[in-house]
Amino acid sequence: TIQHIFKEIFKASLELQEDDSRKVLLVSRKAHPENTIVDINGETFGDGKQRFIMGPCAVESYEQVREVAVAMKEQGLSIMRGGAFKPRTSPYDFQGLGVEGLKILREVGNELGMSIVSEIVSPNDVELALDYVDVIQVGARNMQNFDLLKTVGKVNKPILLKRGLSATIEEFIHAAEYIISQGNNQIILCERGIRTYEKATRNTLDISAVPILKKETHLPVVVDVTHSTGRRDLLLPTAKAAMAIGADAIMAEVHPDPAVALSDSAQQMDIPQFHKFIQQLKTLQEKLA
Amino acid sequence: TIQHIFKEIFKASLELQEDDSRKVLLVSRKAHPENTIVDINGETFGDGKQRFIMGPCAVESYEQVREVAVAMKEQGLSIMRGGAFKPRTSPYDFQGLGVEGLKILREVGNELGMSIVSEIVSPNDVELALDYVDVIQVGARNMQNFDLLKTVGKVNKPILLKRGLSATIEEFIHAAEYIISQGNNQIILCERGIRTYEKATRNTLDISAVPILKKETHLPVVVDVTHSTGRRDLLLPTAKAAMAIGADAIMAEVHPDPAVALSDSAQQMDIPQFHKFIQQLKTLQEKLA
Amino acid sequence: TIQHIFKEIFKASLELQEDDSRKVLLVSRKAHPENTIVDINGETFGDGKQRFIMGPCAVESYEQVREVAVAMKEQGLSIMRGGAFKPRTSPYDFQGLGVEGLKILREVGNELGMSIVSEIVSPNDVELALDYVDVIQVGARNMQNFDLLKTVGKVNKPILLKRGLSATIEEFIHAAEYIISQGNNQIILCERGIRTYEKATRNTLDISAVPILKKETHLPVVVDVTHSTGRRDLLLPTAKAAMAIGADAIMAEVHPDPAVALSDSAQQMDIPQFHKFIQQLKTLQEKLA
Amino acid sequence: TIQHIFKEIFKASLELQEDDSRKVLLVSRKAHPENTIVDINGETFGDGKQRFIMGPCAVESYEQVREVAVAMKEQGLSIMRGGAFKPRTSPYDFQGLGVEGLKILREVGNELGMSIVSEIVSPNDVELALDYVDVIQVGARNMQNFDLLKTVGKVNKPILLKRGLSATIEEFIHAAEYIISQGNNQIILCERGIRTYEKATRNTLDISAVPILKKETHLPVVVDVTHSTGRRDLLLPTAKAAMAIGADAIMAEVHPDPAVALSDSAQQMDIPQFHKFIQQLKTLQEKLA
């Protein structure tokens, strides 16, 4: 029938168009079939090895950061995250130590040989941050802060880009394209849960996003189990799921004393929990290998 | 300060209340700390072994069902699903073969020694179904069809209860409580994705629901990767994630010729894909063991 | 260019297909351009007059129902709603008085000359209900209980069909099609809020659904402001919005003493609030006329 | 019983805490019971009069802007919106004319005596913008760009703050608090639809947000019917609902030739549609007065 013919033409034309529009994206696998490998001082992301990015939610003091770093060192981990500029819902919540926080991270990083990941929220702070961090994080609330994306697209540092609170995967991919279009292809994508009606978890971990992002783009994909769930008891199981589905790294928050943390106390692990967490995931890693 | 004291009292009272209200639920782990093990003709769910429930979306013919069953048999699988009563958005879509479909399932089941899982949508069909199926499925659209829940709560057959399209975990647990409150504790919970804004997948697989349901209830938990994702290319990775996070079984759809399937053609595996799917998951199973 | 041509063909074919698939729906305005007018004992819905459907959430006693009915009578209203079969999340919550509740509604209805709207949750209760109610309500949780939809499609009574908790407008329209396909075209559609991430209200009133439903179908559309908002302070403003956007009726809950109501106490109006509510809406009605 | 007492204490303490935490917000009605009136060159927002903010999605040329402005002038409207910096999902979409666009808006504004509303996306452009615009718009994607919020909190210009794509009302209020905490209380809140699963509209207009924001804060509230719906056929009905519910202004997009618009062509009105739109809303305004 005529309708059937139209249907076929429709499909063909749809595919043609989609092919076409995706072809132009620099982050697309169609443009670049091999995995992009992001190298952070020798630790590689995107080559099949599964990494850990750990650290406190917010930098509070030298002692706090060092205590976490020492524990990480003990586990052989070298990529540390910590928030110096904290985007908070209320202007009266703790906003982070700012540059002072970056200095603490760098100091501890230098002492223990750790790489530092920290969020930058303003284009104006990007240049300053280059002196302190090894990876610039763009947070969920800034995933479509296009000015910031373009700025970090011009620097020679890896970028960890978090998915927006309710960003579609398509929007997420296009946000990465803003960065790569400026020349910087050292991008790590981070799934951190999406906003849904469900209240049992802080966000809903969209685990399917991992294989979709790996298929659609050539970039490494990290899963932040802390913000995805907001529950300490779910960190380990969701991290296992993330490893099994092929995430390039797991990100989670650790605090020497979560109960007194200045932010997100309910979801951070303490040091003993951290050790147990890493050990169990290393065991899984060996099994999966 | 007075405010701090109130805060503490508030927390204490909140916990008391929560403890209390949860204590009464028969599906709760507080009421019954050990896992409930559901035994389907010798195949156990809830004892740590990870099972597979496979089969076509809809029963279309004896030949179609048999072809899938033979392939399952080859893989050593014995729990087969297939839809005879299909709840469809439009009244003009294929509604399933009804009792005829149940008969086909039973016939093939008897021939090959398979257990049959099939959805029943009306309380009036429950008694009839007892002659044909080994497990009664209550579908997502009927998760709060309380009349149906109460009816299946009175029979002596295992029930596979699917999470509603946008049910909270709390509502899901209470739906199971409707069943158990009538005397039937042979309940398998099924996470099958929730409705969100994301369009890259048919639904969003809420993988965190698995550990939460295992923690809050004593019932086995299955993950339906077909309806969660609606994409054939995501079945294997999400099944891996489900196994790693501790699901008691994986459920997925298989069709001898998905392209001509009367429903959900885009998301069903064909026979060769099915074999590969099971083999890869068995390999994972061995590694995880 | 060839791509442009494809694009045009694509659009044309898409429209053709859409036209075609919508043409078949009996609820569609394309099938039936004039408004369907539902007549409930002389009170018409769908002819431009804006009506009120009021009453308690659940029937609790003859006295309670009568007190609300007397107040409604005072305002000249004659369509009373009240729940006899209550679908509740927990099996341990008050489930309604059942047939006893229907009898109370009918008795009060007969005494005061009111028409009765009440929810039926099981196909088996539909015939029984015909003796007591003037309008059968199909609730949100049963919007895709296709068995129930088909059953009410065969009776000669108006049906008030509520939108499912997270039903798309397209699914809602198709649910109505299940009813009309069985012969009953006396259908009133009811927008009652949808499930979103927002927690300030119980549900999110999807006010745009009203003009979309009026455009796509020929059926009258009611807005249930009580379940949409779950907040007594929002009943009046949302009712005003619903009237301005062209809803055929406003539905809201009234209870003689909401604080002791057996269900939904936080969202029902008491009698004085009810009088004020109706008076303000009547004033608006006159202004809009 | 002891539990009941705890429950009462719980409620009391909860209210105390909530009262307390809200008391501190400067945008709260508790801090400032009277409406804040924002005066834009003599046109007031927040005093009960209902205003219109109209204009093209994006500034494309002097001629385009002037044509819309002339039509607005004809209707006695004086607040014109137009995008010079356009935040777009893809870096390859039209990004706006930038400063050139601001100059065009100012020029037309000066010639015809119009006030100009335009979005600024970077803290670095705020000072520059002061020379061209009468109201700085902070867009949905930047609602939690705290750096930008703090910057516009320090200027002496009214700010139109749009609700984030999936911001809760609480987050929206706190975003406004970021601005007011820096000294600028000339803030207009804009509801522009939220992201939900529903696909019939671009976003879901959360009409209940209007009375909630009016109750919780002392700031004027605008409804952007264009982005809420994304459908030209819904602009008028949703605008009527917004006026009936008490919005302080209606915002909508107009383009001399929507079919060739460089952005959002499907949702803008053309000039004749604009005239009809305003006339019908003025008629409603008179009725409601």
Side-chain angles (χ1 to χ4, degrees):
Chain A
T1 68
I2 180 73
Q3 208 192 325
H4 180 74
I5 295 168
F6 264 127
K7 208 165 171 174
E8 290 310 301
I9 294 177
F10 156 89
K11 275 189 207 158
S13 104
L14 194 60
E15 275 161 36
L16 260 178
Q17 281 183 45
E18 286 183 347
D19 275 18
D20 214 69
S21 78
R22 281 185 197 159
K23 210 181 300 165
V24 299
L25 289 194
L26 298 171
V27 293
S28 165
R29 257 204 203 278
K30 293 193 180 154
H32 185 281
E34 318 81 53
N35 282 346
T36 283
I37 295 169
V38 176
D39 187 320
I40 306 174
N41 301 322
E43 193 112 350
T44 47
F45 287 71
D47 57 0
K49 295 197 194 70
Q50 294 186 305
R51 309 295 188 174
F52 297 100
I53 304 174
M54 311 289 291
C57 175
V59 174
E60 296 170 11
S61 69
Y62 170 82
E63 289 71 25
Q64 172 232 25
V65 172
R66 197 172 206 285
E67 194 171 341
V68 174
V70 166
M72 288 178 63
K73 201 80 193 165
E74 232 176 285
Q75 292 291 346
L77 309 185
S78 73
I79 316 270
M80 183 175 209
R81 55 142 290 141
F85 297 94
K86 300 297 302 172
R88 301 299 298 275
T89 300
S90 165
Y92 310 125
D93 287 342
F94 174 59
Q95 307 274 314
L97 297 181
V99 183
E100 207 46 53
L102 294 183
K103 286 182 185 166
I104 291 173
L105 287 166
R106 186 69 277 155
E107 193 180 346
V108 173
N110 287 347
E111 284 171 20
L112 297 171
M114 316 281 283
S115 299
I116 299 301
V117 183
S118 198
E119 177 170 358
I120 297 302
V121 297
S122 167
N124 299 331
D125 292 335
V126 170
E127 207 179 303
L128 168 103
L130 298 178
D131 293 342
Y132 300 105
V133 307
D134 300 289
V135 179
I136 292 174
Q137 179 178 313
V138 174
R141 283 167 188 77
N142 283 308
M143 193 203 82
Q144 292 195 317
N145 181 337
F146 300 121
D147 203 33
L148 181 61
L149 295 178
K150 285 182 205 159
T151 305
V152 301
K154 286 173 194 137
V155 303
N156 188 20
K157 286 265 184 195
I159 308 303
L160 188 139
L161 176 66
K162 291 195 136 191
R163 183 176 181 183
L165 279 81
S166 69
T168 62
I169 290 175
E170 202 190 337
E171 289 168 343
F172 190 18
I173 290 173
H174 279 87
E177 186 72 13
Y178 265 93
I179 298 173
I180 207 172
S181 70
Q182 301 298 313
N184 188 353
N185 74 339
Q186 296 290 295
I187 304 167
I188 301 171
L189 301 175
C190 179
E191 160 63 27
R192 45 77 72 203
I194 59 172
R195 188 163 272 188
T196 72
Y197 68 85
E198 176 59 66
K199 292 166 194 163
T201 43
R202 180 165 161 180
N203 290 292
T204 296
L205 170 58
D206 181 7
I207 196 78
S208 314
V210 179
I212 297 174
L213 291 169
K214 297 287 294 178
K215 185 182 180 183
E216 298 286 333
T217 80
H218 48 81
L219 302 173
V221 178
V222 173
V223 173
D224 172 350
V225 292
T226 302
H227 289 90
S228 294
T229 65
R231 284 173 56 161
R232 206 176 288 124
D233 63 331
L234 297 180
L235 300 180
L236 183 62
T238 50
K240 286 179 176 175
M243 290 184 73
I245 210 168
D248 293 291
I250 304 298
M251 192 169 179
E253 292 182 359
V254 189
H255 191 286
D257 187 357
V260 301
L262 295 178
S263 60
D264 285 351
S265 69
Q267 65 192 29
Q268 302 192 57
M269 289 178 273
D270 63 19
I271 304 288
Q273 287 162 341
F274 159 76
H275 284 299
K276 217 171 142 187
F277 177 80
I278 296 296
Q279 278 153 11
Q280 295 198 256
L281 292 180
K282 281 184 183 168
T283 305
L284 178 63
Q285 225 164 15
E286 280 159 30
K287 287 180 175 177
L288 293 176
Chain B
T1 69
I2 181 74
Q3 209 194 324
H4 180 76
I5 295 167
F6 264 128
K7 207 164 173 177
E8 289 311 299
I9 294 176
F10 156 90
K11 276 187 204 160
S13 105
L14 195 61
E15 277 161 34
L16 261 176
Q17 282 184 45
E18 287 182 346
D19 274 18
D20 215 70
S21 77
R22 281 186 194 159
K23 212 181 298 166
V24 300
L25 290 194
L26 298 170
V27 293
S28 165
R29 258 203 203 277
K30 291 191 182 157
H32 186 282
E34 318 79 55
N35 282 347
T36 283
I37 294 169
V38 176
D39 186 319
I40 305 172
N41 301 321
E43 192 112 352
T44 48
F45 287 72
D47 58 359
K49 294 196 195 71
Q50 294 187 305
R51 309 296 189 175
F52 297 99
I53 304 174
M54 310 291 291
C57 176
V59 173
E60 296 169 13
S61 70
Y62 170 82
E63 290 69 25
Q64 171 231 26
V65 173
R66 198 172 204 286
E67 193 170 344
V68 174
V70 166
M72 287 177 62
K73 201 79 191 164
E74 228 176 286
Q75 292 291 346
L77 309 186
S78 73
I79 317 271
M80 184 175 208
R81 55 141 292 142
F85 298 94
K86 300 296 302 171
R88 302 298 299 273
T89 299
S90 166
Y92 310 125
D93 287 341
F94 175 58
Q95 308 274 315
L97 297 180
V99 183
E100 207 45 55
L102 295 182
K103 286 181 184 166
I104 291 172
L105 287 166
R106 185 70 276 154
E107 194 179 348
V108 173
N110 288 345
E111 285 170 21
L112 297 172
M114 315 280 284
S115 300
I116 300 299
V117 183
S118 199
E119 178 169 358
I120 298 303
V121 297
S122 167
N124 300 332
D125 293 335
V126 169
E127 208 179 302
L128 168 104
L130 298 178
D131 293 343
Y132 300 104
V133 307
D134 300 288
V135 179
I136 293 174
Q137 178 177 312
V138 175
R141 282 166 189 77
N142 283 309
M143 193 203 80
Q144 292 195 316
N145 182 339
F146 299 121
D147 205 31
L148 181 60
L149 296 178
K150 285 181 205 160
T151 304
V152 301
K154 287 175 194 135
V155 306
N156 188 21
K157 286 266 184 194
I159 308 303
L160 188 138
L161 176 65
K162 291 196 138 189
R163 183 177 183 181
L165 280 80
S166 68
T168 61
I169 290 174
E170 204 190 335
E171 289 168 343
F172 189 19
I173 290 174
H174 279 87
E177 187 71 13
Y178 265 93
I179 298 172
I180 206 172
S181 70
Q182 301 298 313
N184 188 353
N185 74 340
Q186 298 289 295
I187 305 166
I188 300 172
L189 301 175
C190 180
E191 160 64 26
R192 43 78 73 207
I194 60 172
R195 187 162 273 188
T196 71
Y197 68 85
E198 177 59 66
K199 294 167 193 162
T201 44
R202 181 165 160 181
N203 290 292
T204 296
L205 170 58
D206 181 7
I207 195 79
S208 314
V210 179
I212 297 174
L213 290 169
K214 298 287 294 178
K215 186 184 180 183
E216 298 286 333
T217 81
H218 47 81
L219 302 172
V221 178
V222 173
V223 173
D224 172 349
V225 292
T226 302
H227 289 92
S228 293
T229 64
R231 282 172 58 159
R232 207 177 286 122
D233 63 333
L234 296 180
L235 300 179
L236 182 62
T238 51
K240 287 180 176 176
M243 291 185 73
I245 210 168
D248 293 292
I250 303 298
M251 192 170 179
E253 293 182 359
V254 190
H255 191 285
D257 188 356
V260 302
L262 295 178
S263 58
D264 286 350
S265 68
Q267 65 193 29
Q268 301 191 60
M269 289 177 276
D270 63 19
I271 305 288
Q273 287 162 342
F274 159 77
H275 284 300
K276 215 171 145 188
F277 177 79
I278 296 295
Q279 279 153 10
Q280 294 199 255
L281 292 179
K282 280 184 181 168
T283 305
L284 178 63
Q285 223 163 18
E286 281 159 31
K287 286 181 176 178
L288 292 177
Chain C
T1 69
I2 181 74
Q3 208 195 325
H4 181 75
I5 295 167
F6 263 128
K7 206 164 173 176
E8 289 310 302
I9 294 176
F10 156 89
K11 275 188 206 161
S13 104
L14 193 61
E15 275 161 35
L16 260 176
Q17 281 185 45
E18 286 183 347
D19 273 19
D20 216 69
S21 78
R22 283 187 193 156
K23 213 183 299 168
V24 299
L25 289 195
L26 299 171
V27 294
S28 163
R29 256 200 205 280
K30 290 190 182 159
H32 185 282
E34 318 80 54
N35 283 346
T36 283
I37 294 169
V38 176
D39 187 320
I40 305 173
N41 302 321
E43 192 113 349
T44 47
F45 287 70
D47 58 358
K49 292 195 197 73
Q50 294 186 307
R51 307 297 188 175
F52 298 98
I53 304 174
M54 311 289 292
C57 175
V59 173
E60 295 168 13
S61 71
Y62 171 82
E63 290 70 26
Q64 173 233 25
V65 173
R66 197 172 207 285
E67 196 172 340
V68 174
V70 166
M72 288 177 63
K73 201 81 193 165
E74 230 176 284
Q75 292 291 346
L77 309 184
S78 73
I79 317 271
M80 184 175 206
R81 55 143 288 142
F85 298 94
K86 299 296 302 172
R88 300 298 298 274
T89 299
S90 166
Y92 310 125
D93 286 341
F94 174 60
Q95 307 273 315
L97 297 180
V99 183
E100 207 46 53
L102 295 182
K103 285 182 185 166
I104 290 172
L105 287 166
R106 186 70 276 154
E107 193 179 349
V108 173
N110 288 346
E111 285 171 21
L112 297 171
M114 315 281 283
S115 300
I116 299 300
V117 183
S118 200
E119 178 169 358
I120 297 303
V121 297
S122 168
N124 299 333
D125 292 335
V126 169
E127 206 177 305
L128 168 105
L130 299 177
D131 293 342
Y132 300 105
V133 308
D134 301 288
V135 179
I136 292 174
Q137 179 178 313
V138 174
R141 283 166 189 76
N142 284 308
M143 193 202 82
Q144 292 194 316
N145 182 337
F146 300 121
D147 204 33
L148 181 60
L149 295 178
K150 284 181 205 159
T151 306
V152 301
K154 287 171 194 139
V155 304
N156 188 20
K157 285 268 184 192
I159 308 303
L160 188 138
L161 176 66
K162 289 195 140 192
R163 182 176 182 181
L165 279 82
S166 67
T168 62
I169 290 175
E170 204 188 336
E171 290 168 342
F172 190 18
I173 290 173
H174 279 88
E177 187 72 12
Y178 266 92
I179 299 173
I180 207 172
S181 70
Q182 301 298 314
N184 188 353
N185 74 339
Q186 297 289 295
I187 305 166
I188 301 172
L189 301 174
C190 180
E191 158 65 26
R192 45 76 73 206
I194 60 172
R195 188 162 272 188
T196 71
Y197 68 85
E198 176 60 64
K199 294 166 192 163
T201 44
R202 182 165 160 179
N203 290 292
T204 296
L205 170 58
D206 181 8
I207 196 79
S208 314
V210 179
I212 296 174
L213 291 169
K214 298 286 296 178
K215 185 181 180 183
E216 298 287 333
T217 80
H218 48 81
L219 302 172
V221 178
V222 173
V223 173
D224 172 350
V225 292
T226 301
H227 289 91
S228 294
T229 65
R231 283 172 56 160
R232 207 177 286 122
D233 63 332
L234 297 180
L235 301 179
L236 183 61
T238 49
K240 286 180 176 174
M243 292 185 72
I245 211 167
D248 292 291
I250 304 297
M251 192 168 180
E253 292 182 359
V254 190
H255 191 284
D257 188 356
V260 302
L262 295 179
S263 59
D264 286 352
S265 69
Q267 66 192 29
Q268 302 191 59
M269 289 178 273
D270 64 18
I271 306 289
Q273 287 162 342
F274 160 76
H275 284 300
K276 217 172 142 186
F277 176 81
I278 296 296
Q279 278 153 11
Q280 294 198 258
L281 292 179
K282 281 184 180 168
T283 304
L284 177 63
Q285 223 163 18
E286 280 159 31
K287 285 179 176 177
L288 292 177
Chain D
T1 70
I2 181 75
Q3 208 195 325
H4 181 76
I5 295 168
F6 264 128
K7 206 165 173 174
E8 289 310 302
I9 293 176
F10 156 88
K11 275 186 204 161
S13 104
L14 195 61
E15 276 161 34
L16 260 177
Q17 281 182 44
E18 286 182 346
D19 274 20
D20 215 69
S21 77
R22 280 185 195 160
K23 210 183 298 165
V24 299
L25 290 193
L26 298 170
V27 293
S28 165
R29 256 200 205 280
K30 290 189 182 156
H32 185 283
E34 319 81 54
N35 283 345
T36 284
I37 296 169
V38 176
D39 186 320
I40 305 173
N41 301 322
E43 193 112 349
T44 47
F45 287 72
D47 59 358
K49 294 195 195 73
Q50 294 186 307
R51 309 296 189 173
F52 298 99
I53 304 175
M54 311 290 291
C57 176
V59 172
E60 296 168 11
S61 70
Y62 170 82
E63 290 70 24
Q64 170 231 27
V65 173
R66 197 171 205 285
E67 193 171 342
V68 175
V70 166
M72 288 178 63
K73 200 80 193 164
E74 231 177 285
Q75 291 290 346
L77 309 185
S78 72
I79 318 271
M80 183 175 209
R81 56 141 289 142
F85 297 94
K86 299 296 302 172
R88 301 299 296 277
T89 298
S90 166
Y92 310 125
D93 286 342
F94 174 58
Q95 306 273 315
L97 298 181
V99 183
E100 207 46 54
L102 295 183
K103 284 183 186 168
I104 291 172
L105 287 166
R106 186 71 273 157
E107 192 179 349
V108 173
N110 287 346
E111 284 170 22
L112 297 171
M114 316 281 281
S115 300
I116 299 301
V117 183
S118 199
E119 179 170 357
I120 297 302
V121 298
S122 166
N124 300 333
D125 292 336
V126 170
E127 207 178 304
L128 168 104
L130 299 178
D131 293 343
Y132 300 104
V133 308
D134 300 288
V135 179
I136 293 173
Q137 179 177 313
V138 174
R141 282 166 189 77
N142 283 308
M143 193 204 81
Q144 291 195 317
N145 181 338
F146 300 121
D147 204 33
L148 181 60
L149 296 178
K150 285 182 205 160
T151 305
V152 301
K154 287 174 193 138
V155 305
N156 189 21
K157 286 267 185 192
I159 309 302
L160 189 139
L161 177 66
K162 290 194 140 192
R163 184 177 181 181
L165 279 81
S166 68
T168 62
I169 290 175
E170 204 189 336
E171 290 169 341
F172 189 18
I173 290 174
H174 279 88
E177 187 71 13
Y178 265 93
I179 299 173
I180 207 172
S181 71
Q182 302 298 314
N184 188 354
N185 75 339
Q186 297 289 294
I187 305 167
I188 300 172
L189 301 174
C190 179
E191 159 64 26
R192 44 78 72 206
I194 60 172
R195 188 163 274 189
T196 71
Y197 67 84
E198 176 59 65
K199 294 168 192 160
T201 43
R202 179 164 162 181
N203 290 291
T204 297
L205 171 57
D206 181 6
I207 195 80
S208 314
V210 179
I212 296 174
L213 290 169
K214 298 287 295 178
K215 187 183 178 183
E216 298 287 333
T217 80
H218 48 81
L219 302 173
V221 178
V222 172
V223 173
D224 173 349
V225 293
T226 301
H227 290 90
S228 295
T229 65
R231 284 173 55 161
R232 207 176 287 123
D233 62 333
L234 297 179
L235 301 179
L236 183 62
T238 50
K240 285 180 177 176
M243 291 185 74
I245 211 168
D248 293 292
I250 303 299
M251 192 166 175
E253 292 181 0
V254 189
H255 191 285
D257 188 357
V260 301
L262 296 178
S263 60
D264 286 351
S265 68
Q267 65 192 28
Q268 303 192 59
M269 289 178 274
D270 64 18
I271 305 287
Q273 287 163 341
F274 159 77
H275 284 301
K276 217 172 144 187
F277 177 80
I278 296 295
Q279 278 153 11
Q280 293 197 258
L281 292 179
K282 280 184 181 168
T283 305
L284 177 63
Q285 223 164 18
E286 280 160 30
K287 285 180 177 178
L288 292 176

